Amino acid sequence: DDLEHALMDALDATRGDARADVIAVFGLCKFKHAARLMIPCLRDDSPAVRGAAADALCALEAWDWGDKILERILREEDPRVRIRLAAAAPRFKLQDSIEPLISWLGDPDPLVAQAALEALRSLTGRDLGPDPARWSAWWETSRPGR
């Protein structure tokens, strides 16, 4: 309890990369009910904090918060955070992330494109290669409700 309270205090008192470190400890310590504290961190100005929050939500197995991960996927521009969100998408089973992940295949950062491809493979059970057009064509015919 003392560690958890100290971490909560530290989360309130820190900013930037130091805040990201505090968030990482929440995930490492598996303080599951702290997941709600990670949600505002997904909207932080610091990419390090946003990425750490996504990682912590995965570590905490906070599957009920998948909609918040999806919201971040739809808005995120930072390549480092996109990579971490792409890793989170299959863990949260976010089928609604398929379309944005397809668009990330064309990201100028090859690490983002690779992370998106790995997420798409995991989410869909398909391996259509790195071509966004091929994935888009498949998704048009395969998405639920089509």
Side-chain angles (χ1 to χ4, degrees):
D1 274 350
D2 289 343
L3 175 59
E4 188 171 6
H5 290 296
L7 286 172
M8 283 192 250
D9 291 343
L11 186 62
D12 287 337
T14 58
R15 297 290 171 257
D17 290 349
R19 193 165 201 226
D21 293 339
V22 172
I23 291 167
V25 174
F26 272 109
L28 289 171
C29 292
K30 302 286 186 186
F31 294 134
K32 289 192 181 274
H33 62 277
R36 64 178 174 72
L37 300 174
M38 302 301 109
I39 302 310
C41 298
L42 286 170
R43 295 183 300 274
D44 197 273
D45 290 338
S46 167
V49 171
R50 294 193 308 272
D55 290 347
L57 287 167
C58 286
L60 296 171
E61 300 176 348
W63 312 133
D64 292 344
W65 295 101
D67 61 325
K68 300 302 180 187
I69 294 287
L70 181 61
E71 284 176 16
R72 189 73 249 155
I73 287 171
L74 295 172
R75 291 182 174 80
E76 190 57 56
E77 296 294 325
D78 187 274
R80 295 164 296 173
V81 183
R82 281 185 166 190
I83 291 166
R84 293 161 96 172
L85 290 167
R91 301 224 28 226
F92 280 85
K93 297 178 174 56
L94 298 175
Q95 294 296 312
D96 289 339
S97 71
I98 290 174
E99 198 163 334
L101 288 168
I102 290 171
S103 74
W104 291 4
L105 290 172
D107 195 284
D109 186 321
L111 296 176
V112 172
Q114 183 61 38
L117 180 58
E118 290 171 16
L120 287 166
R121 287 174 177 155
S122 182
L123 277 166
T124 67
R126 304 240 178 227
D127 187 358
L128 302 178
D131 181 8
R134 193 166 174 208
W135 279 98
S136 291
W138 169 80
W139 187 236
E140 276 302 312
T141 61
S142 301
R143 89 173 72 195
R146 292 278 173 191

